[in-house]
Amino acid sequence: MRSAKLVTVGVLAVALAAAGCTKNTGSDNNDDNNNQEAATQSATLAENSDGPAPDVPGAKPGGTVTIYTSGDFEHLDPQQNYVVPSQTVGSNLLYRSLLQYRENGDGKLELVGDLTTNTGEESNGGKTWKFTLKDGLKYEDGTPITANDVAYGIARSFSPDLPNGPHYIQQWLVGSGDYNAKYKGPYDGGAKIPPGVEVPDAKTIVFNFPTPHADAPFAMALPTTTPVPPSKDTKVQYDNRPFSSGPYKIQEYRRGQQMTLVRNTNWDAKTDPIRHQFPEKYVVDFTRTAEQASELLLADGGAAQTGLSFQDLQIPASVYPKVIANADAKKRILTGTTQFVWMFDFNLQRMKDINVRKAFNYALDREGLLKVWGSYSGDPATTILSPTTSGYEQYNQYDGGKNGDPAKAKELLGNKRVPLTYAYRNTERNQAVAAFLRSSMKEAGFDLTIQPVDEDQYYTVLGAKDNQFDVYMQGWGSDWPGGAAIIPPLFDGRAITPTGNQNITYLNDDQVNKEMDEILALSDLTEASKRWAKLDKDMMTRIVPIAPAIYDKQTTMYGSKIGGIYLSAPYGNSGLNNLFVK
């Protein structure tokens, strides 16, 4: 998942490495907000997926919550939704999937049936998974949600017209990274049910994979499995008005400005084990910078009293000292380690010299970068896998010290100057990062041309195979904290297509591909975790597809009248399921 659970077939207890979370109280918190470490947690596949969701102490209905986020959502279409702010709003408020996570910020996670009666029935050695829908599920217009609609949602995710979003289920169903080579979705006469999927009746959907997938329940929690009624499908325009199956629906959506969500009166709390419907409405404000949003929340007046900032609007360095100096505001910081790693991706189609890639790693001034980023918002990263990942092993293959080693970089470059084009997301924070990178890399011999890309087009542009950039920064968080949710989506070269790529280094290495296949086939997931860590180091030694930069920490704010807030482990962002206005 972009800025981003191990299960054994037949066993409910799961060892899950995930983000360290703050408590879900919405009340004062005098803990030091800067010293949270990555933590391992335990999770279970829930035995009971019934609704309603657990009570939230002190919660009451009414009021308006304002969410500050930078720029419009790249995609709100569930089958294309794979960036944290949009996925949080989509999966918490607008629509439901086959499975989902139940959490309340106390560090305990359960995977529960969201639309389904349980977390799935496995057979055929893990190749077949059956899910049964609950009674009483309805869309915003009162029509019933059916298994056919779930199948249709998955079918449309195969379309080359909708190339973004998670690709696990599509690839697993056809047994190939090139998942739409033969089946291209339901448009232009294609079947409304994808290959490998059966719909015996309106309440039953069955997945038949060519190979076992023990972690299938976790993939079913992604918005890929969101139901879409064919009559409401507007194809590429579905981003503008997804049809609600969740507790809220879109009242108004002015792209680039504001989105207003109001209660969906046909949502039934008795069917939903994770969501509530406390606020009367949500207003998503796309127009604020990180500094503006943080200043508003610091002042704590007007709409900001019932507002919060999202992951992409971390408290900036210009405001943070004022926040921690204010006793009341300091209590309203939401912080904790997340599963995201921020990295500089090398476009291997263009940066073909491994010594250039090694030199970039040696030259990177991670301590200086963190000062620009916000030293309270991360730690220096040197690995592909996050410390929250099961089996993670720390190493530093290109140790340039805290501030980089320009001399070593120059040596690798043969004292030649290397021009690079760096693309950055056009936000306040990333403008500063781009300027810092251009300045700090000069001494090592790199001449960076920096080029902004619109916030709501960033990953779409970089996901085009023919993009004309050499280096770019991305944040990746695992969809479940095992290497299978990190290395294959980021580096499987067989999945590269003209557009919609998650592998934006464009690495296609036979040895890496072979090792991934072997690890994914292992039934011993403890052994698999060890081998993902070994592959991490091998890739950074033999290929160097990225320069790891920052292990992420969430550091955002919320208003004094917000209750029920917590840091969501699956999303690495402010959870919305329990929010209420005090």
Side-chain angles (χ1 to χ4, degrees):
M1 179 188 352
R2 286 175 168 142
S3 176
K5 303 153 189 155
L6 304 176
V7 56
T8 304
V9 176
V11 180
L12 294 182
V14 191
L16 177 67
C21 298
T22 57
K23 292 184 178 180
N24 169 29
T25 61
S27 60
D28 293 354
N29 181 359
N30 292 311
D31 296 337
D32 184 348
N33 293 308
N34 303 321
N35 295 314
Q36 305 239 357
E37 300 295 334
T40 50
Q41 299 180 327
S42 61
T44 56
L45 301 183
E47 295 182 9
N48 186 338
S49 295
D50 295 339
D55 291 338
V56 178
K60 60 181 181 180
T64 297
V65 171
T66 299
I67 298 171
Y68 300 111
T69 187
S70 65
D72 206 339
F73 298 139
E74 193 156 350
H75 294 288
L76 200 56
D77 180 330
Q79 274 73 41
Q80 295 216 81
N81 191 342
Y82 210 27
V83 180
V84 164
S86 55
Q87 198 169 113
T88 305
V89 168
S91 294
N92 282 192
L93 303 178
L94 273 177
Y95 34 72
R96 301 171 66 176
S97 48
L98 286 179
L99 273 63
Q100 198 47 261
Y101 295 96
R102 180 161 56 202
E103 58 174 343
N104 56 18
D106 62 0
K108 297 178 182 178
L109 281 176
E110 287 183 300
L111 190 65
V112 301
D114 185 0
L115 294 172
T116 60
T117 57
N118 56 33
T119 55
E121 299 171 32
E122 169 267 329
S123 61
N124 193 23
K127 295 179 182 179
T128 299
W129 288 87
K130 174 184 174 182
F131 299 90
T132 303
L133 270 59
K134 297 171 182 173
D135 294 327
L137 301 171
K138 295 179 181 179
Y139 291 109
E140 63 178 84
D141 65 350
T143 57
I145 296 170
T146 70
N148 290 87
D149 295 341
V150 176
Y152 181 80
I154 296 168
R156 66 193 298 276
S157 75
F158 279 79
S159 172
D161 295 334
L162 308 176
N164 301 285
H167 296 158
Y168 300 102
I169 294 173
Q170 303 95 308
Q171 292 172 354
W172 294 354
L173 283 169
V174 301
S176 170
D178 189 6
Y179 61 83
N180 57 13
K182 296 181 179 180
Y183 173 72
K184 300 183 184 299
Y187 308 144
D188 302 318
K192 293 184 178 181
I193 297 178
V197 174
E198 300 174 19
V199 184
D201 55 60
K203 292 183 60 180
T204 308
I205 184 167
V206 181
F207 296 83
N208 298 292
F209 302 122
T211 57
H213 287 286
D215 41 8
F218 294 100
M220 299 300 166
L222 293 167
T224 312
T225 66
T226 296
V228 176
S231 63
K232 299 296 182 181
D233 185 8
T234 54
K235 302 181 181 179
V236 295
Q237 297 302 318
Y238 201 64
D239 270 328
N240 299 322
R241 186 59 173 82
F243 202 55
S244 175
S245 52
Y248 292 86
K249 62 182 180 181
I250 296 174
Q251 181 185 62
E252 181 185 34
Y253 190 5
R254 290 182 285 125
R255 296 303 297 259
Q257 298 295 315
Q258 182 174 293
M259 182 170 70
T260 302
L261 306 179
V262 295
R263 290 175 179 149
N264 171 11
T265 56
N266 281 298
W267 170 80
D268 187 351
K270 294 192 296 293
T271 71
D272 197 325
I274 63 168
R275 299 172 186 84
H276 294 281
Q277 201 182 51
F278 297 131
E280 182 177 345
K281 66 174 61 176
Y282 283 83
V283 174
V284 186
D285 184 344
F286 301 116
T287 67
R288 305 291 183 176
T289 66
E291 185 169 0
Q292 289 170 341
S294 297
E295 290 283 9
L296 285 169
L297 292 164
L298 173 62
D300 196 38
Q305 284 189 302
T306 58
L308 64 140
S309 55
F310 258 6
Q311 181 207 56
D312 53 344
L313 287 183
Q314 306 263 8
I315 305 171
S318 59
V319 182
Y320 188 75
K322 292 188 284 186
V323 174
I324 61 172
N326 182 312
D328 174 69
K330 184 179 178 181
K331 298 173 186 175
R332 296 186 280 108
I333 298 175
L334 184 65
T335 188
T337 303
T338 79
Q339 75 272 42
F340 284 89
V341 177
W342 291 93
M343 62 194 79
F344 293 104
D345 287 330
F346 303 136
N347 186 339
L348 300 184
Q349 302 169 115
R350 296 168 61 90
M351 286 183 67
K352 297 182 179 181
D353 187 340
I354 191 172
N355 284 328
V356 172
R357 304 195 296 269
K358 288 180 178 179
F360 194 102
N361 271 274
Y362 274 117
L364 186 58
D365 178 358
R366 289 174 173 84
E367 185 172 88
L369 176 65
L370 271 168
K371 289 179 181 177
V372 175
W373 187 259
S375 58
Y376 44 85
S377 292
D379 294 305
T382 58
T383 61
I384 295 171
L385 300 179
S386 163
T388 64
T389 310
S390 179
Y392 162 81
E393 292 183 11
Q394 170 62 25
Y395 67 89
N396 188 353
Q397 191 68 20
Y398 306 100
D399 190 354
K402 292 182 178 180
N403 298 110
D405 188 343
K408 180 64 176 178
K410 284 181 181 179
E411 178 186 336
L412 284 164
L413 296 178
N415 288 311
K416 296 178 182 178
R417 301 208 67 79
V418 174
L420 296 174
T421 301
Y422 175 70
Y424 66 93
R425 189 185 314 205
N426 195 13
T427 65
E428 184 180 30
R429 187 190 222 182
N430 286 284
Q431 289 164 6
V433 167
F436 169 80
L437 199 66
R438 180 173 58 183
S439 173
S440 64
M441 299 297 275
K442 279 184 179 179
E443 185 182 350
F446 290 102
D447 296 318
L448 265 65
T449 299
I450 60 177
Q451 186 167 332
V453 178
D454 287 346
E455 169 88 8
D456 61 355
Q457 292 294 311
Y458 186 69
Y459 286 116
T460 300
V461 170
L462 302 186
K465 187 174 183 290
D466 62 356
N467 83 71
Q468 298 300 300
F469 306 114
D470 300 305
V471 190
Y472 21 76
M473 192 180 196
Q474 78 157 319
W476 184 270
S478 57
D479 293 300
W480 56 94
I486 301 170
I487 291 179
L490 287 180
F491 301 111
D492 189 341
R494 297 161 298 185
I496 295 172
T497 56
T499 60
N501 289 293
Q502 294 159 11
N503 176 357
I504 57 176
T505 64
Y506 299 98
L507 169 67
N508 189 7
D509 181 86
D510 290 343
Q511 187 174 327
V512 170
N513 294 342
K514 181 176 181 291
E515 180 67 8
M516 287 190 295
D517 288 345
E518 291 181 1
I519 300 173
L520 288 169
L522 292 173
S523 57
D524 183 344
L525 296 183
T526 300
E527 176 62 22
S529 294
K530 293 178 182 178
R531 287 183 61 176
W532 287 124
K534 183 179 179 181
L535 181 57
D536 175 345
K537 189 172 183 179
D538 171 69
M539 291 171 62
M540 285 301 297
T541 304
R542 188 172 57 84
I543 304 170
V544 200
I546 69 168
I550 296 169
Y551 299 130
D552 182 69
K553 290 182 180 179
Q554 165 91 343
T555 312
T556 56
M557 288 188 71
Y558 56 93
S560 62
K561 292 186 178 180
I562 286 287
I565 195 168
Y566 61 91
L567 180 59
S568 172
Y571 297 102
N573 194 24
S574 310
L576 305 178
N577 286 331
N578 294 348
L579 279 191
F580 65 91
V581 174
K582 295 180 181 178

